[in-house]
Amino acid sequence: MPLARISIPAHLSPQLARVLADAVHAGLERTCGVPTEDRFQLIFRLPEEAMILDPHFGDVSRTRNASIVEITFLRGRSDAQKRALFQSIAKQAEAGGFASDDIVIALTENSAIDWSLGRGLAYQDL
Amino acid sequence: MPLARISIPAHLSPQLARVLADAVHAGLERTCGVPTEDRFQLIFRLPEEAMILDPHFGDVSRTRNASIVEITFLRGRSDAQKRALFQSIAKQAEAGGFASDDIVIALTENSAIDWSLGRGLAYQDL
Amino acid sequence: MPLARISIPAHLSPQLARVLADAVHAGLERTCGVPTEDRFQLIFRLPEEAMILDPHFGDVSRTRNASIVEITFLRGRSDAQKRALFQSIAKQAEAGGFASDDIVIALTENSAIDWSLGRGLAYQDL
């Protein structure tokens, strides 16, 4: 039950948006044990003036393609898994046409009881 | 002080969007002791390709109307309250025209000191 | 590594949107020790019917300019810092043309290991 909110500049092609979305989910599968089918992603296309992102903070060089990936998922992933997740997402995004400097990722955590995937049922009870 | 972010497919009517928003707030009132007036909701209408949602994960059948409800609220609701909240939202959404399989809900929690409802004041100090 | 999501009514001018974004970042700098360059903000312009905000809850009078500021940042700021942050944001927004009653703020917290600012690196490892 990760939920990813991906905010990208509106000038990026739908293909490139999909590249990033695919990279995010592949990273979750490879490093955090998320099933392939457990995919829930929202993509927000924002005009340039709606993404105010410092060009260099964090010792990188961001371009106008810089994108923000927010992932909410279950508490309990190790620091090593999070490090591997960041690397996996950036690497696959880079292979698909992004600069890896342009991928900013923020994680927030919740608990199993905090999810309902439908039908009004708590995921924990499935 | 719950804040709900409701992401729905752009093809849904404004009426149906409102049905879901009303169901979310009614659920919070009925199960979590949220006052009627304590309503803060944002609705994001997204094109089909911007909502990448697995059609079956969680043992349901999602349609192209599948919608995501994210609620940030105060830490401290019990598991029983969260279960009741999921059921209440799905049931009222269903009564208003949604399939209950189409309602995905994710909760995140914070503290009273994390809210200002205006005037630069911490809600905790009111 | 704060990330701010700022949701404003679409009728607000780009100038006023920027006033609020600047107020949010200046507040983080002044009260929470955030560097000037550590700025990551997303602005969502929403139509009136997509912002369902009670006009009075919290003992204020909201207008149709009411806006929602969500900030995700590192765990560890004191209650006093959060109070000062709310005051700083509201005060500067007011100086720039907002009513301070119109500024709703919600904070959520995560950890240093939850951020990658680019290149697939954990910020914690920089």
Side-chain angles (χ1 to χ4, degrees):
Chain A
M1 301 93 68
L3 172 67
R5 285 189 304 269
I6 302 173
S7 296
I8 63 169
H11 70 260
L12 290 192
S13 69
Q15 289 74 21
L16 215 47
R18 185 72 190 205
V19 159
L20 182 52
D22 288 350
V24 168
H25 198 65
L28 287 163
E29 287 182 64
R30 283 182 202 129
T31 67
C32 294
V34 170
T36 303
E37 296 75 22
D38 185 1
R39 182 168 180 167
F40 298 91
Q41 301 181 310
L42 303 172
I43 300 176
F44 300 89
R45 307 177 70 87
L46 296 172
E48 199 156 355
E49 70 274 14
M51 301 185 75
I52 306 176
L53 309 176
D54 187 83
H56 297 299
F57 190 78
D59 207 15
V60 300
S61 281
R62 293 185 190 89
T63 74
R64 55 194 290 271
N65 292 347
S67 298
I68 305 278
V69 176
E70 299 170 80
I71 300 171
T72 299
F73 65 0
L74 293 183
R75 202 164 283 119
R77 270 73 187 221
S78 68
D79 288 7
Q81 283 181 301
K82 292 177 180 179
R83 284 191 179 90
L85 173 62
F86 298 149
Q87 287 176 4
S88 176
I89 293 174
K91 198 169 176 179
Q92 183 167 328
E94 193 173 32
F98 278 87
S100 69
D101 282 25
D102 281 334
I103 311 300
V104 176
I105 306 168
L107 309 177
T108 55
E109 300 179 320
N110 64 5
S111 303
I113 190 61
D114 293 321
W115 294 89
S116 174
L117 299 187
R119 216 172 288 175
L121 293 173
Y123 181 75
Q124 191 167 273
D125 299 332
L126 287 186
Chain B
M1 303 93 69
L3 173 67
R5 285 189 304 269
I6 302 172
S7 296
I8 61 169
H11 71 261
L12 290 191
S13 69
Q15 288 74 20
L16 215 47
R18 185 71 191 206
V19 159
L20 182 51
D22 287 350
V24 168
H25 198 65
L28 287 163
E29 287 182 65
R30 282 181 203 130
T31 67
C32 294
V34 170
T36 304
E37 297 73 23
D38 186 0
R39 182 166 179 168
F40 298 91
Q41 300 182 311
L42 303 172
I43 299 176
F44 300 90
R45 305 178 69 88
L46 296 172
E48 200 156 354
E49 70 274 14
M51 301 185 75
I52 307 175
L53 309 176
D54 186 84
H56 297 299
F57 190 78
D59 206 16
V60 300
S61 282
R62 292 184 191 90
T63 73
R64 55 194 291 271
N65 291 349
S67 298
I68 305 279
V69 177
E70 299 170 80
I71 299 170
T72 300
F73 65 179
L74 293 183
R75 201 164 286 119
R77 270 74 186 220
S78 67
D79 288 8
Q81 283 181 301
K82 292 175 180 179
R83 283 191 179 92
L85 174 62
F86 298 149
Q87 287 175 5
S88 176
I89 293 173
K91 197 169 177 179
Q92 183 167 327
E94 194 173 30
F98 279 88
S100 69
D101 282 24
D102 280 334
I103 310 301
V104 175
I105 306 167
L107 310 177
T108 56
E109 299 178 320
N110 65 4
S111 303
I113 190 63
D114 293 321
W115 294 89
S116 175
L117 299 187
R119 218 173 287 173
L121 292 174
Y123 181 75
Q124 190 166 274
D125 299 333
L126 287 185
Chain C
M1 301 93 68
L3 173 66
R5 286 189 304 270
I6 301 172
S7 296
I8 62 169
H11 70 262
L12 290 192
S13 70
Q15 289 74 19
L16 215 48
R18 185 71 190 207
V19 159
L20 182 52
D22 288 350
V24 168
H25 198 65
L28 287 163
E29 288 182 66
R30 284 182 202 130
T31 67
C32 293
V34 170
T36 303
E37 298 73 25
D38 186 0
R39 182 166 179 168
F40 298 91
Q41 300 182 310
L42 303 172
I43 299 176
F44 299 90
R45 307 177 69 86
L46 296 172
E48 199 156 353
E49 70 273 14
M51 301 185 75
I52 306 175
L53 309 176
D54 186 83
H56 297 299
F57 190 77
D59 206 16
V60 301
S61 282
R62 292 184 190 89
T63 73
R64 55 195 291 269
N65 292 348
S67 298
I68 305 279
V69 177
E70 299 170 80
I71 300 171
T72 300
F73 65 178
L74 293 183
R75 202 164 283 118
R77 269 73 187 222
S78 68
D79 288 6
Q81 283 180 301
K82 292 176 180 179
R83 284 192 179 90
L85 174 61
F86 298 149
Q87 288 175 4
S88 176
I89 293 173
K91 197 169 175 179
Q92 185 167 325
E94 193 173 31
F98 278 88
S100 69
D101 282 23
D102 280 335
I103 310 300
V104 176
I105 306 169
L107 309 176
T108 55
E109 300 179 320
N110 65 3
S111 303
I113 191 62
D114 292 321
W115 294 89
S116 174
L117 300 187
R119 217 172 285 174
L121 292 173
Y123 180 75
Q124 189 165 275
D125 300 332
L126 287 187

